Amino acid sequence: PEGLPVRRESPVRAWVTVMYGCNNFCSYCVVPYTRGREVSREAEPIVEEVRGLVEQGYRDITLLGQNVNSYGRGTAGGLDFSDLLARLDAIEGDFWLRFMTSHPKDATPKLFETMAKGRHIAHQLHLPVQCGSDEVLHEMNRRYTVAQYRELVAQARSLMPDLTLSSDIIVGFPGESEEEFADTLAAAGDNSDLAFQNTHRMLLLSTEVCGVYVCDVCDRIALPGFDEILTKKVRTKKYALFAGCSLTF
């Protein structure tokens, strides 16, 4: 939709929506049901909006979408997200471009090459891995494996050695075993080759909804497991006992 009112709360940082909705239907997510299927804005209004922001003095612009990597499907111009980034990068001025969120199944070498070559594109990538177990990723309907995720990260870092990588991780997913949790802990650990600079973790706790438990292993895995991550990563913080609680650190 075009022409919607936008409220800017900062004179230097701005957020620009490039698409709405999602087609991925991850098993833990309600976005496709609450926000509908993917709809991408046409490129020209986005370019004009960003150009106008730069002319107004904005210096840090973030492109937003539930899955920005799938931008462009159904648009008249036929551009993909890498093409859109390149067009925005060509705008003259003193500014940084960022974007979120990326889905690993749609991240491509073309995207990383565009980032590496860009004058204004920050070498910052938020790429949610969600879990370190292929079996749990399958149950989440994520449509990639841990090995494929690692390959993506390796490709991005080969082109951008200074890349800042952040991620999302879910623990205590329904049916998750102790071994599968250990795989996730290893992927997120200090000695992992992924080496996340920042991780936003969602904790699923045991909550009864309409007689069905959201997580049937939380008492055995999620609480001690998440506490183990917190102890290793941020010794001064504790998890909060709320269903769907998320912590950023």
Side-chain angles (χ1 to χ4, degrees):
E2 296 295 338
L4 296 177
V6 177
R7 184 178 65 182
R8 307 288 183 194
E9 297 182 348
S10 166
V12 294
R13 300 185 66 188
W15 287 261
V16 176
T17 299
V18 301
M19 61 183 298
Y20 302 88
C22 184
N23 290 351
N24 288 316
F25 291 92
C26 300
S27 61
Y28 53 80
C29 185
V30 299
V31 168
Y33 304 98
T34 58
R35 299 185 185 177
R37 295 298 188 94
E38 288 178 357
V39 178
S40 296
R41 296 175 62 193
E42 294 292 339
E44 287 304 326
I46 297 172
V47 172
E48 290 307 310
E49 182 174 354
V50 171
R51 180 179 288 113
L53 290 169
V54 173
E55 291 173 352
Q56 294 172 52
Y58 285 87
R59 294 293 177 259
D60 198 311
I61 300 171
T62 301
L63 310 178
L64 297 178
Q66 193 67 28
N67 176 19
V68 292
N69 299 65
S70 63
Y71 169 84
R73 295 171 184 167
T75 58
L79 301 181
D80 62 19
F81 185 63
S82 300
D83 298 328
L84 177 65
L85 267 184
R87 287 199 57 183
L88 298 175
D89 185 60
I91 295 173
E92 295 299 327
D94 181 15
F95 66 99
W96 284 108
L97 279 173
R98 309 178 197 275
F99 57 88
M100 64 184 306
T101 297
S102 295
H103 195 299
K105 76 176 180 63
D106 295 314
T108 63
K110 180 181 177 182
L111 171 64
F112 304 146
E113 291 167 3
T114 302
M115 293 175 64
K117 295 176 182 177
R119 299 178 300 160
H120 304 293
I121 306 170
H123 291 180
Q124 175 185 350
L125 181 64
H126 184 70
L127 193 66
V129 64
Q130 300 298 12
C131 183
S133 162
D134 288 343
E135 290 76 13
V136 176
L137 286 173
H138 176 75
E139 293 300 317
M140 290 178 171
N141 194 34
R142 292 292 288 173
R143 287 173 280 178
Y144 57 84
T145 65
V146 177
Q148 289 169 335
Y149 182 92
R150 291 182 186 276
E151 178 60 26
L152 286 173
V153 171
Q155 290 173 356
R157 284 189 168 140
S158 69
L159 294 168
M160 297 172 284
D162 60 342
L163 179 72
T164 296
L165 177 69
S166 61
S167 190
D168 297 341
I169 292 176
I170 295 175
V171 298
F173 188 80
E176 182 183 76
S177 69
E178 294 183 24
E179 291 75 16
E180 289 163 343
F181 168 76
D183 291 339
T184 298
L185 185 62
D190 293 331
N191 296 323
S192 169
D193 59 332
L194 297 178
F196 299 122
Q197 278 75 24
N198 188 58
T199 310
H200 176 276
R201 297 187 176 92
M202 180 189 299
L203 172 61
L204 302 182
L205 299 181
S206 184
T207 304
E208 191 172 4
V209 181
C210 299
V212 178
Y213 280 95
V214 174
C215 178
D216 58 4
V217 293
C218 288
D219 291 339
R220 183 165 55 89
I221 296 175
L223 296 184
F226 197 68
D227 191 48
E228 184 178 353
I229 292 177
L230 289 178
T231 300
K232 288 185 175 182
K233 291 288 189 179
V234 283
R235 299 179 184 277
T236 60
K237 291 189 177 181
K238 296 290 184 179
Y239 53 76
L241 298 178
F242 295 100
C245 168
S246 63
L247 298 174
T248 302
F249 45 91

